[in-house]
Amino acid sequence: MIRLIFLMGCMLAGTLGSIRSIAQATQDTIQRNDLQQLATLFEDAEPSDSIAGVYLKELIIQSEKQGEYDLMADYVLKMVHHPSPSIQNPELIRQLLKNAISHEEELSKSNDKGNLHLKLAGEYFGYEQFDSAILEYGYAIDRFTDEDSIFIADSYFFRGQARDYKGELLGSMQDYQQARDIYSKLGDKEYVNYVNGGMAILFSKFSIYNEAEKIRTALISTYQEEESIFDVAIQLYNQAEDYGKQGKLKDQETYLLKADSLTPFDPQDFYTESMIKLSLSNFYGEQGNLEKQKEYFSQAQDMVPQVPEIATTNPVYLNAKALLEYSQGNYLTANQLANISLDAARQSKNMDHLIKAYKLLGDTYNKLGQSEKAFEIRQKLTHYTDSIFASNQATTFSYFQTLYETERKEKEILTKTQEIESISRQNQARLRLISIIIFFLIIVGVVFFLWKNLQHEKKKKEMQSRFSQELLKNQEAERVRISKDLHDGLGQSLLLIKNKVALSKDNTTGELLDTAISELRSIARSLHPMQLEKLGLSKAAEHLLDQIDNETDIFVSSEIEELKGVLKKEEELQLYRILQESINNVLKHSQASALRVLFNKVENRVELKIEDNGKGFDFSEKLNDFQSLGLKTLKERIASLNGSMKINSEKGVGTSLSFIVYV
């Protein structure tokens, strides 16, 4: 392929002997300690004269001696591309660059520090010492600052080329991308295109043809818009080479003919034009079209005098010449030329040229009847192509694995970007599904927690209810016990005392004993209503209301239905206690003048209603103060019967308590 490579040094040779002789001749006239005088002599000298190089070298030496390291660095950088033949010695240039770099800590300008390493890297690059070049380009990048961004971009670009030659796909690609990004920010479209061209060649080198073609298609379009005919032809030529490697012969022919149609260039470039002609000659030779093969080779041959080095060192020319001899049946001559072409291909280190030279050499040996040599060449070719294929496959795999950060197999790595996006969409769908599942599990967890909490609260309330019921039962049992003890114990004792007092005829004491006995009986009846057991709920309620009517000033009215056998004994007792406590609340708190009690059975329920015309209360204010209103016990008792309680009260109007028990 045709490359546009920007080397940092010139390759012309000079001799240290001539430098020494000229330096000796001028030693008496140069005041080495006078830098200004040396600088004047250097500026006045013709750049192409050897004496100019002597002055420049002496300026470098004296600047170092006098500690003028910034000045020394400037002169060393001038020396790299200076045309004076007396200093065109690669070893000398490298030595002076290294010497200047040894003083880089004393240099004040980052630009000089970076450029010294950049020029030294270029020297290594020019002599294919790529490891050293890569190292120095890295040093240059580290020394430059943000103000030197164009030099940083150049360093990345050249290091990418060095890594390209070493076969480091990933490192080279990263450097190219860094360089392209910086050039783009600087608006340097020309170098952006150069970098893209280098990336296309790199992709092609490792058989990533799709990516290379994309880049070249874009470059061809760009160069056509800019009317850069030469650059269009270069990209067409390189793409044709790729088509040839892929066996796309029709596309290869089309692109070569398009490139050829753009020649001659203005100004003419005989090297590039001859390469296009030679490639066409080779193409038609491989297709067996001798006429066109000879035609294009002849056109290229006419340009050789303009670039004579092609005839002896260029593997494309040598291969085309050998292939033409082969097509004309001159197998011995073709064999000799193929051997020369193989040597040239080895020197160029171009795998495409090597493969073509091996193939043609094997064919000539076969035609010459030297089967053993032909087989040997075929084996070398197979071994070489297999090693290249294995290396390319491994490097390509590594490239795609890094680029897309996936764990797919080798075949999946070469799929299109659309397939990767499809996998990404599937992953997003999975993430959405997982998110929904997680959200659902959270909701289920919250609901389960609330349900468990509700169950706990229910259980807690049930336990409280059972406790209250048991407490009420125990209270009633204790009341019965106390009532019996009072009646059977203390009551009997008082009667005996009363009888003795009656015998003594002490009327005053007898009256006191009658009062005590009456109060004792009242307390016993309050603790355990004997009427409830003997007469039933309805009669006991009527008896209680009669007592209230007789013993207080409150007007009492009632509507009590006979409820015998409707409720269980325990239920009757609880309702009686509810009636007692409700009436006690009226007597203690209501200041009522009238009391009304309704006690009846309606369908499947028993209703008890107690109403008064007392002062009433604001129930919303007392909602959290059940204890002070004496309502808490009422609530617990009706709850033990699985019944309900309703309270209606207003200030100045009165209060209505309603209790319902289902039977």
Side-chain angles (χ1 to χ4, degrees), residues 403-469:
L403 184 62
Y404 300 112
E405 297 179 356
T406 67
E407 295 180 355
R408 289 192 295 267
K409 296 178 182 178
E410 185 174 340
K411 291 181 181 179
E412 294 172 339
I413 294 174
L414 299 176
T415 55
K416 298 180 181 179
T417 305
Q418 290 84 349
E419 293 174 351
I420 296 172
E421 293 175 351
S422 175
I423 292 172
S424 177
R425 287 193 294 270
Q426 291 175 7
N427 289 337
Q428 290 176 1
R430 290 192 190 99
L431 286 174
R432 285 195 294 270
L433 179 61
I434 291 170
S435 299
I436 292 170
I437 292 172
I438 292 173
F439 179 75
F440 175 75
L441 291 175
I442 291 172
I443 294 298
V444 170
V446 171
V447 170
F448 179 75
F449 172 77
L450 293 175
W451 179 79
K452 288 292 290 183
N453 193 49
L454 181 62
Q455 294 298 313
H456 176 73
E457 290 298 322
K458 283 184 178 179
K459 189 174 182 180
K460 184 178 177 181
K461 287 183 179 179
E462 289 174 359
M463 291 176 66
Q464 289 177 343
S465 177
R466 285 197 299 270
F467 175 77
S468 298
Q469 292 174 23

Coordinates of all heavy atoms in Angstrom, one line a residue, residues 403-469:
L403 N -12.6 -3.2 22.4 CA -13.5 -2.1 21.9 C -14.9 -2.3 22.4 O -15.5 -1.3 22.8 CB -13.5 -2.2 20.4 CG -14.3 -1.1 19.6 CD1 -13.7 0.3 20.0 CD2 -14.2 -1.4 18.1
Y404 N -15.5 -3.4 22.4 CA -16.9 -3.6 22.8 C -17.1 -4.1 24.2 O -18.2 -4.2 24.7 CB -17.6 -4.5 21.8 CG -17.6 -4.0 20.4 CD1 -16.8 -4.6 19.4 CD2 -18.2 -2.8 20.0 CE1 -16.8 -4.1 18.1 CE2 -18.2 -2.3 18.8 CZ -17.5 -2.9 17.8 OH -17.4 -2.5 16.5
E405 N -16.0 -4.5 24.9 CA -16.0 -5.0 26.3 C -17.1 -6.1 26.4 O -18.0 -6.0 27.2 CB -16.4 -3.8 27.2 CG -15.3 -2.8 27.2 CD -15.7 -1.6 28.1 OE1 -16.7 -1.6 28.7 OE2 -14.8 -0.7 28.3
T406 N -16.9 -7.1 25.7 CA -17.9 -8.3 25.7 C -17.1 -9.5 25.9 O -15.9 -9.6 25.9 CB -18.6 -8.4 24.4 OG1 -17.7 -8.8 23.4 CG2 -19.3 -7.1 24.0
E407 N -17.8 -10.6 26.2 CA -17.2 -12.0 26.4 C -17.7 -12.9 25.3 O -17.8 -14.1 25.5 CB -17.6 -12.5 27.8 CG -17.1 -11.7 28.9 CD -17.5 -12.2 30.3 OE1 -18.3 -13.2 30.3 OE2 -17.0 -11.7 31.3
R408 N -18.1 -12.3 24.2 CA -18.6 -13.2 23.1 C -17.5 -14.0 22.5 O -16.3 -13.6 22.6 CB -19.3 -12.3 22.1 CG -20.7 -11.8 22.6 CD -21.4 -11.2 21.4 NE -20.7 -10.1 20.8 CZ -21.0 -8.8 21.2 NH1 -21.9 -8.6 22.1 NH2 -20.4 -7.8 20.7
K409 N -17.8 -15.0 21.8 CA -16.8 -15.9 21.1 C -16.3 -15.1 19.9 O -16.8 -14.1 19.5 CB -17.5 -17.2 20.7 CG -18.0 -18.0 21.8 CD -18.7 -19.3 21.3 CE -19.2 -20.1 22.5 NZ -19.9 -21.3 22.0
E410 N -15.2 -15.7 19.3 CA -14.5 -15.1 18.2 C -15.4 -14.8 17.1 O -15.3 -13.7 16.5 CB -13.4 -16.0 17.7 CG -12.5 -15.4 16.7 CD -11.3 -16.3 16.3 OE1 -11.0 -17.2 17.1 OE2 -10.8 -16.1 15.3
K411 N -16.3 -15.7 16.7 CA -17.2 -15.4 15.6 C -18.1 -14.2 15.9 O -18.4 -13.4 15.0 CB -18.1 -16.6 15.3 CG -17.3 -17.8 14.7 CD -18.2 -19.0 14.4 CE -17.4 -20.2 13.8 NZ -18.3 -21.3 13.6
E412 N -18.6 -14.1 17.1 CA -19.5 -13.0 17.5 C -18.8 -11.6 17.5 O -19.4 -10.6 17.4 CB -20.1 -13.3 18.9 CG -21.0 -14.5 18.9 CD -21.4 -14.9 20.3 OE1 -20.8 -14.4 21.2 OE2 -22.4 -15.6 20.4
I413 N -17.5 -11.6 17.6 CA -16.7 -10.4 17.7 C -16.8 -9.6 16.4 O -16.8 -8.4 16.4 CB -15.2 -10.6 18.1 CG1 -15.2 -11.2 19.5 CG2 -14.4 -9.4 18.0 CD1 -13.8 -11.6 19.9
L414 N -16.9 -10.4 15.2 CA -16.9 -9.7 13.9 C -18.3 -9.4 13.4 O -18.4 -9.0 12.3 CB -16.2 -10.7 12.9 CG -14.7 -11.1 13.2 CD1 -14.2 -12.1 12.2 CD2 -13.9 -9.8 13.2
T415 N -19.3 -9.4 14.3 CA -20.6 -9.1 13.8 C -20.8 -7.6 13.7 O -19.9 -6.8 14.2 CB -21.7 -9.6 14.8 OG1 -21.4 -9.1 16.1 CG2 -21.7 -11.1 14.8
K416 N -21.9 -7.1 13.2 CA -22.1 -5.7 12.9 C -22.5 -5.0 14.2 O -22.9 -5.6 15.2 CB -23.2 -5.5 11.9 CG -22.8 -6.1 10.5 CD -24.0 -6.0 9.5 CE -23.6 -6.6 8.2 NZ -24.7 -6.4 7.2
T417 N -22.4 -3.7 14.1 CA -22.7 -2.8 15.3 C -24.2 -3.0 15.6 O -24.6 -2.9 16.8 CB -22.4 -1.3 15.0 OG1 -21.0 -1.2 14.6 CG2 -22.7 -0.5 16.2
Q418 N -25.0 -3.2 14.6 CA -26.4 -3.4 14.9 C -26.7 -4.6 15.8 O -27.6 -4.5 16.6 CB -27.2 -3.6 13.5 CG -27.2 -2.3 12.7 CD -26.0 -2.2 11.8 OE1 -25.0 -2.9 12.0 NE2 -26.1 -1.3 10.9
E419 N -25.9 -5.6 15.7 CA -26.2 -6.8 16.5 C -25.8 -6.5 17.9 O -26.5 -7.0 18.9 CB -25.3 -8.0 16.0 CG -25.8 -8.5 14.6 CD -24.9 -9.6 14.0 OE1 -23.8 -9.8 14.6 OE2 -25.3 -10.2 13.0
I420 N -24.8 -5.7 18.1 CA -24.4 -5.3 19.5 C -25.4 -4.4 20.1 O -25.8 -4.6 21.3 CB -23.0 -4.5 19.4 CG1 -21.9 -5.4 18.9 CG2 -22.7 -4.0 20.8 CD1 -20.6 -4.8 18.6
E421 N -26.0 -3.5 19.3 CA -27.1 -2.7 19.8 C -28.3 -3.5 20.2 O -29.0 -3.2 21.1 CB -27.5 -1.6 18.8 CG -26.4 -0.6 18.5 CD -26.7 0.4 17.4 OE1 -27.7 0.1 16.7 OE2 -26.0 1.3 17.2
S422 N -28.6 -4.6 19.4 CA -29.7 -5.5 19.7 C -29.5 -6.1 21.0 O -30.4 -6.3 21.8 CB -29.8 -6.5 18.5 OG -30.8 -7.5 18.9
I423 N -28.3 -6.6 21.3 CA -28.0 -7.2 22.5 C -28.1 -6.2 23.7 O -28.6 -6.6 24.8 CB -26.5 -7.8 22.5 CG1 -26.4 -9.0 21.6 CG2 -26.1 -8.3 23.9 CD1 -25.1 -9.5 21.3
S424 N -27.7 -5.0 23.4 CA -27.9 -3.9 24.4 C -29.3 -3.7 24.7 O -29.7 -3.6 25.9 CB -27.2 -2.6 23.9 OG -27.4 -1.6 24.8
R425 N -30.2 -3.7 23.7 CA -31.6 -3.5 23.9 C -32.2 -4.7 24.7 O -33.0 -4.5 25.6 CB -32.3 -3.4 22.6 CG -32.1 -2.1 21.9 CD -33.1 -1.9 20.8 NE -32.9 -2.8 19.7 CZ -32.1 -2.6 18.7 NH1 -31.4 -1.5 18.6 NH2 -32.0 -3.6 17.7
Q426 N -31.7 -5.9 24.4 CA -32.2 -7.1 25.2 C -31.8 -7.0 26.6 O -32.6 -7.3 27.5 CB -31.6 -8.4 24.6 CG -32.2 -8.7 23.2 CD -31.5 -9.9 22.6 OE1 -30.7 -10.5 23.2 NE2 -31.8 -10.2 21.3
N427 N -30.5 -6.5 26.9 CA -30.1 -6.3 28.2 C -30.9 -5.3 29.0 O -31.2 -5.4 30.2 CB -28.6 -5.9 28.3 CG -27.7 -7.0 27.8 OD1 -28.1 -8.2 28.0 ND2 -26.5 -6.7 27.4
Q428 N -31.3 -4.2 28.3 CA -32.1 -3.2 28.9 C -33.5 -3.7 29.2 O -34.1 -3.4 30.3 CB -32.2 -2.0 27.9 CG -31.0 -1.2 27.8 CD -31.1 -0.1 26.8 OE1 -32.1 0.1 26.2 NE2 -30.0 0.7 26.6
A429 N -34.0 -4.6 28.3 CA -35.3 -5.2 28.6 C -35.2 -6.1 29.8 O -36.1 -6.1 30.7 CB -35.8 -6.0 27.4
R430 N -34.1 -6.8 29.9 CA -33.9 -7.7 31.1 C -33.8 -6.9 32.3 O -34.4 -7.3 33.4 CB -32.7 -8.6 30.9 CG -32.8 -9.6 29.8 CD -31.6 -10.6 29.9 NE -31.6 -11.5 28.8 CZ -30.8 -11.3 27.7 NH1 -29.9 -10.3 27.7 NH2 -30.8 -12.2 26.7
L431 N -33.1 -5.8 32.2 CA -33.0 -4.9 33.4 C -34.3 -4.3 33.9 O -34.6 -4.2 35.0 CB -32.0 -3.7 33.1 CG -30.5 -4.1 33.1 CD1 -29.7 -2.9 32.6 CD2 -30.0 -4.6 34.4
R432 N -35.1 -4.0 32.8 CA -36.5 -3.5 33.2 C -37.3 -4.6 33.9 O -38.0 -4.3 34.8 CB -37.2 -3.0 31.9 CG -36.7 -1.6 31.4 CD -37.6 -1.0 30.4 NE -37.7 -1.8 29.2 CZ -37.0 -1.6 28.1 NH1 -36.0 -0.7 28.2 NH2 -37.1 -2.4 27.1
L433 N -37.2 -5.8 33.3 CA -37.9 -6.9 33.9 C -37.5 -7.2 35.3 O -38.3 -7.4 36.2 CB -37.8 -8.2 33.0 CG -38.4 -9.4 33.5 CD1 -40.0 -9.2 33.6 CD2 -38.1 -10.6 32.6
I434 N -36.1 -7.2 35.5 CA -35.6 -7.4 36.9 C -36.0 -6.3 37.8 O -36.4 -6.5 39.0 CB -34.0 -7.4 36.8 CG1 -33.6 -8.7 36.1 CG2 -33.4 -7.4 38.2 CD1 -32.1 -8.8 35.7
S435 N -36.1 -5.0 37.3 CA -36.5 -3.9 38.1 C -38.0 -4.1 38.5 O -38.3 -3.8 39.7 CB -36.3 -2.6 37.4 OG -35.0 -2.4 37.0
I436 N -38.8 -4.5 37.6 CA -40.2 -4.8 37.9 C -40.4 -5.9 38.9 O -41.2 -5.8 39.8 CB -41.0 -5.1 36.6 CG1 -41.0 -3.9 35.6 CG2 -42.4 -5.6 36.9 CD1 -41.6 -4.2 34.3
I437 N -39.6 -7.0 38.7 CA -39.7 -8.1 39.7 C -39.2 -7.6 41.1 O -39.9 -7.9 42.1 CB -38.8 -9.2 39.2 CG1 -39.4 -9.9 37.9 CG2 -38.6 -10.3 40.3 CD1 -38.5 -10.9 37.3
I438 N -38.1 -6.8 41.1 CA -37.7 -6.3 42.4 C -38.7 -5.4 43.1 O -39.0 -5.5 44.3 CB -36.3 -5.6 42.3 CG1 -35.2 -6.6 41.9 CG2 -35.9 -4.9 43.5 CD1 -33.9 -5.9 41.5
F439 N -39.3 -4.5 42.2 CA -40.4 -3.7 42.7 C -41.5 -4.5 43.3 O -42.1 -4.2 44.3 CB -40.8 -2.7 41.6 CG -41.9 -1.8 42.0 CD1 -41.6 -0.7 42.8 CD2 -43.2 -2.0 41.6 CE1 -42.7 0.2 43.2 CE2 -44.2 -1.1 42.0 CZ -44.0 0.0 42.8
F440 N -41.9 -5.5 42.5 CA -43.0 -6.4 42.9 C -42.7 -7.1 44.2 O -43.6 -7.1 45.1 CB -43.3 -7.4 41.8 CG -44.4 -8.4 42.2 CD1 -45.7 -8.1 42.2 CD2 -44.0 -9.7 42.5 CE1 -46.7 -9.0 42.6 CE2 -45.0 -10.6 42.9 CZ -46.3 -10.3 42.9
L441 N -41.5 -7.6 44.3 CA -41.1 -8.2 45.6 C -41.1 -7.3 46.8 O -41.5 -7.7 47.9 CB -39.7 -8.8 45.4 CG -39.6 -10.0 44.5 CD1 -38.1 -10.5 44.3 CD2 -40.4 -11.2 45.0
I442 N -40.7 -6.0 46.5 CA -40.7 -5.0 47.6 C -42.2 -4.8 48.0 O -42.5 -4.7 49.2 CB -40.1 -3.7 47.1 CG1 -38.6 -3.9 46.9 CG2 -40.3 -2.6 48.1 CD1 -37.8 -2.8 46.3
I443 N -43.1 -4.6 47.0 CA -44.5 -4.4 47.3 C -45.0 -5.6 48.1 O -45.7 -5.4 49.1 CB -45.3 -4.2 46.0 CG1 -44.9 -2.9 45.3 CG2 -46.8 -4.2 46.4 CD1 -45.1 -1.7 46.2
V444 N -44.7 -6.8 47.6 CA -45.2 -8.0 48.4 C -44.7 -8.0 49.8 O -45.4 -8.4 50.7 CB -44.8 -9.3 47.6 CG1 -45.0 -10.5 48.4 CG2 -45.5 -9.4 46.3
G445 N -43.4 -7.7 49.9 CA -42.8 -7.6 51.2 C -43.5 -6.6 52.2 O -43.7 -6.9 53.3
V446 N -43.8 -5.4 51.6 CA -44.4 -4.4 52.4 C -45.8 -4.9 52.8 O -46.3 -4.7 54.0 CB -44.5 -3.1 51.6 CG1 -45.4 -2.1 52.3 CG2 -43.1 -2.5 51.4
V447 N -46.6 -5.5 51.8 CA -47.9 -6.0 52.1 C -47.9 -7.1 53.2 O -48.7 -7.1 54.1 CB -48.6 -6.5 50.8 CG1 -49.9 -7.2 51.1 CG2 -48.8 -5.3 49.8
F448 N -46.9 -8.0 53.0 CA -46.7 -9.1 54.0 C -46.4 -8.5 55.4 O -47.0 -9.0 56.4 CB -45.6 -10.0 53.5 CG -45.4 -11.2 54.5 CD1 -46.3 -12.2 54.6 CD2 -44.3 -11.1 55.3 CE1 -46.1 -13.3 55.5 CE2 -44.1 -12.2 56.2 CZ -45.0 -13.3 56.3
F449 N -45.6 -7.5 55.4 CA -45.2 -6.9 56.7 C -46.5 -6.2 57.3 O -46.7 -6.4 58.5 CB -44.1 -5.8 56.5 CG -43.9 -5.0 57.7 CD1 -43.1 -5.5 58.8 CD2 -44.4 -3.7 57.8 CE1 -42.8 -4.8 59.9 CE2 -44.1 -3.0 59.0 CZ -43.4 -3.5 60.0
L450 N -47.2 -5.5 56.5 CA -48.4 -4.9 57.0 C -49.5 -5.9 57.5 O -50.1 -5.7 58.5 CB -49.1 -4.0 56.0 CG -48.2 -2.7 55.6 CD1 -48.9 -2.0 54.4 CD2 -48.0 -1.8 56.8
W451 N -49.6 -7.0 56.7 CA -50.5 -8.0 57.1 C -50.1 -8.7 58.4 O -50.9 -8.9 59.3 CB -50.5 -9.1 56.0 CG -51.5 -10.2 56.3 CD1 -52.8 -10.3 56.2 CD2 -51.1 -11.5 56.8 NE1 -53.3 -11.5 56.6 CE2 -52.3 -12.3 56.9 CE3 -49.8 -12.1 57.1 CZ2 -52.2 -13.6 57.4 CZ3 -49.8 -13.4 57.6 CH2 -51.0 -14.2 57.7
K452 N -48.8 -9.0 58.5 CA -48.3 -9.6 59.8 C -48.5 -8.6 61.0 O -48.9 -9.0 62.1 CB -46.8 -9.9 59.7 CG -46.5 -11.1 58.8 CD -47.0 -12.4 59.4 CE -46.2 -12.8 60.6 NZ -46.6 -14.1 61.1
N453 N -48.3 -7.3 60.7 CA -48.5 -6.3 61.7 C -50.0 -6.2 62.1 O -50.3 -6.1 63.3 CB -48.0 -4.9 61.2 CG -47.9 -3.9 62.4 OD1 -47.4 -4.2 63.4 ND2 -48.5 -2.8 62.1
L454 N -50.9 -6.3 61.1 CA -52.3 -6.3 61.4 C -52.7 -7.5 62.2 O -53.5 -7.4 63.1 CB -53.1 -6.2 60.0 CG -54.6 -6.2 60.1 CD1 -55.1 -4.9 60.9 CD2 -55.2 -6.3 58.7
Q455 N -52.2 -8.7 61.8 CA -52.5 -9.9 62.5 C -52.0 -9.8 64.0 O -52.7 -10.2 64.9 CB -51.8 -11.1 61.9 CG -52.3 -11.4 60.5 CD -53.8 -11.8 60.5 OE1 -54.2 -12.6 61.4 NE2 -54.6 -11.2 59.7
H456 N -50.8 -9.2 64.1 CA -50.3 -9.0 65.5 C -51.2 -8.1 66.3 O -51.5 -8.4 67.5 CB -48.9 -8.4 65.4 CG -48.3 -8.1 66.7 ND1 -47.9 -9.0 67.6 CD2 -48.1 -6.9 67.3 CE1 -47.4 -8.4 68.7 NE2 -47.5 -7.1 68.6
E457 N -51.7 -7.0 65.7 CA -52.6 -6.1 66.4 C -53.9 -6.7 66.7 O -54.5 -6.5 67.8 CB -52.8 -4.8 65.5 CG -51.6 -3.9 65.4 CD -51.2 -3.3 66.7 OE1 -52.1 -3.0 67.6 OE2 -50.0 -3.2 66.9
K458 N -54.4 -7.6 65.8 CA -55.7 -8.3 66.0 C -55.5 -9.2 67.2 O -56.3 -9.3 68.1 CB -56.1 -9.1 64.8 CG -56.7 -8.2 63.7 CD -57.2 -9.1 62.6 CE -57.9 -8.3 61.5 NZ -58.3 -9.1 60.4
K459 N -54.3 -9.9 67.2 CA -54.1 -10.9 68.2 C -53.9 -10.2 69.6 O -54.4 -10.6 70.6 CB -52.8 -11.7 67.9 CG -52.5 -12.8 68.9 CD -51.3 -13.6 68.4 CE -51.0 -14.8 69.3 NZ -49.9 -15.6 68.9
K460 N -53.3 -9.0 69.5 CA -53.1 -8.2 70.7 C -54.5 -7.8 71.3 O -54.7 -7.8 72.5 CB -52.2 -7.0 70.4 CG -51.9 -6.1 71.6 CD -51.0 -5.0 71.2 CE -50.7 -4.1 72.3 NZ -49.8 -2.9 71.9
K461 N -55.4 -7.3 70.4 CA -56.7 -6.9 70.8 C -57.5 -8.0 71.4 O -58.2 -7.9 72.3 CB -57.4 -6.2 69.6 CG -56.9 -4.8 69.2 CD -57.7 -4.2 68.1 CE -57.2 -2.8 67.8 NZ -57.9 -2.2 66.7
E462 N -57.4 -9.2 70.7 CA -58.1 -10.4 71.2 C -57.6 -10.8 72.6 O -58.4 -11.1 73.4 CB -57.9 -11.6 70.2 CG -58.6 -11.4 68.9 CD -58.3 -12.5 67.9 OE1 -57.4 -13.4 68.3 OE2 -58.8 -12.5 66.8
M463 N -56.3 -10.7 72.8 CA -55.7 -11.0 74.1 C -56.2 -10.0 75.1 O -56.6 -10.4 76.3 CB -54.2 -11.0 74.1 CG -53.6 -12.1 73.3 SD -51.8 -12.0 73.1 CE -51.4 -12.3 74.8
Q464 N -56.3 -8.7 74.8 CA -56.8 -7.7 75.7 C -58.3 -7.9 76.0 O -58.7 -7.8 77.2 CB -56.6 -6.3 75.1 CG -55.2 -5.8 75.0 CD -55.0 -4.5 74.3 OE1 -55.9 -4.0 73.6 NE2 -53.9 -3.9 74.5
S465 N -59.0 -8.3 74.9 CA -60.4 -8.6 75.1 C -60.6 -9.8 76.1 O -61.5 -9.7 77.0 CB -61.1 -8.8 73.8 OG -62.5 -9.2 74.0
R466 N -59.9 -10.9 75.8 CA -60.0 -12.0 76.7 C -59.6 -11.7 78.1 O -60.2 -12.2 79.1 CB -59.1 -13.2 76.2 CG -59.7 -13.8 74.9 CD -59.0 -15.2 74.7 NE -57.6 -15.1 74.5 CZ -57.0 -14.9 73.3 NH1 -57.8 -14.8 72.2 NH2 -55.7 -14.9 73.2
F467 N -58.6 -10.9 78.3 CA -58.1 -10.5 79.6 C -59.2 -9.7 80.3 O -59.5 -9.9 81.5 CB -56.9 -9.6 79.5 CG -56.4 -9.0 80.8 CD1 -55.7 -9.8 81.7 CD2 -56.6 -7.7 81.1 CE1 -55.3 -9.3 82.9 CE2 -56.2 -7.2 82.3 CZ -55.5 -8.0 83.2
S468 N -59.8 -8.8 79.6 CA -60.9 -8.0 80.1 C -62.1 -8.8 80.6 O -62.7 -8.7 81.6 CB -61.4 -6.9 79.1 OG -60.4 -6.0 78.8
Q469 N -62.4 -9.8 79.7 CA -63.5 -10.7 80.0 C -63.2 -11.5 81.2 O -64.1 -11.7 82.1 CB -63.8 -11.6 78.8 CG -64.4 -10.9 77.6 CD -64.5 -11.7 76.4 OE1 -64.6 -13.0 76.5 NE2 -64.6 -11.1 75.2

